[in-house]
Amino acid sequence: MPGIVTAAARARHDPGVALWVVAGACWVVTAWLVIAGPAGAGHHGAVLDGAAPWPARLGTALAVWVVMIGAMMLPTVVPMARMFDAVTARAPRPVAARAAFLVGYLVVWI
């Protein structure tokens, strides 16, 4: 039984699980935008050429872009996030280092 507990504890600590869940949620939102969302809701041209004020259009375009990043780019960072998690395990402030890694990743892709 100790092996099962260890595997379960490892799965709870695995940053890849959370990243895959977020990526899956982004794919669901992407599918909704394409299938049931407003016409052109997921297309940058339709968002930027709309009748809404430019800050709202820009915010909508950024939101759609972030969803695309989550759906398409997060799965590629899973191996690096797992390695970074292992490397920072004994760091003085591992949570801050891991958060900076993920925020930096998001900022670069935005």
Side-chain angles (χ1 to χ4, degrees):
M1 278 300 180
I4 294 172
V5 173
T6 304
R10 220 175 310 134
R12 273 195 312 268
H13 242 35
D14 183 8
V17 173
L19 292 172
W20 279 111
V21 168
V22 172
C26 289
W27 274 109
V28 168
V29 171
T30 300
W32 177 82
L33 284 171
V34 171
I35 296 168
H43 189 272
H44 66 280
V47 171
L48 293 176
D49 294 336
W54 73 267
R57 292 192 318 258
L58 184 61
T60 303
L62 181 62
V64 171
W65 182 258
V66 169
V67 168
M68 183 279 303
I69 291 169
M72 300 185 76
M73 303 303 174
L74 269 182
T76 66
V77 81
V78 169
M80 184 64 176
R82 285 179 173 154
M83 185 174 25
F84 197 78
D85 187 62
V87 169
T88 59
R90 294 186 181 180
R93 296 184 332 188
V95 174
R98 293 169 188 158
F101 170 74
L102 291 175
V103 168
Y105 177 83
L106 183 64
V107 167
V108 166
W109 274 103
I110 288 176

